[in-house]
Amino acid sequence: MNTQASFSKPEPLSSRNWFPKVSAAVVAGGLLTFGIMGVVGLLCHSDASPRTLSAQFLLWLVALVWCVLLSVCFLFRSGRQAWVVLAGANVLVWGLFFAIRGLVS
């Protein structure tokens, strides 16, 4: 019995569907980045002063995380997969943000 015949060969990575992948990274990745910034800001007890070290850390964290997401978006097999994964990550991060904010308040 040939067991490999029952498994389909995975689709190779390609940049064929680049627009849905990049749009997922820009929109969902942007929201995810701001959610991560909010969680880290709550954990660091950052205030609204832009001159503090924690505020500067958050400022540069946004650019770093968003650039990483824009680069990694091409590793998804399809634009739909990119949207699903990033939307799921958004739900988790924003849920964590509101839970932490509820505990801190």
Side-chain angles (χ1 to χ4, degrees):
M1 182 173 169
N2 189 359
T3 59
Q4 290 184 356
S6 63
F7 297 109
S8 63
K9 187 175 180 181
E11 198 174 313
L13 293 175
S14 71
S15 61
R16 188 176 60 190
N17 298 326
W18 67 271
F19 186 75
K21 293 176 185 179
V22 170
S23 64
V26 169
V27 176
L31 290 173
L32 179 62
T33 301
F34 293 135
I36 291 170
M37 182 181 72
V39 169
V40 173
L42 286 174
L43 294 176
C44 293
H45 303 290
S46 181
D47 57 356
S49 175
R51 294 184 181 188
T52 61
L53 182 61
S54 61
Q56 287 295 312
F57 174 73
L58 291 175
L59 174 78
W60 292 104
L61 178 70
V62 170
L64 176 68
V65 171
W66 207 356
C67 286
V68 167
L69 284 174
L70 283 169
S71 302
V72 172
C73 74
F74 292 103
L75 295 178
F76 291 107
R77 299 217 182 267
S78 67
R80 182 173 181 251
Q81 184 185 19
W83 275 102
V84 168
V85 169
L86 291 176
N90 268 309
V91 169
L92 290 174
V93 167
W94 282 101
L96 181 65
F97 171 76
F98 287 119
I100 291 173
R101 192 178 77 169
L103 291 174
V104 171
S105 297

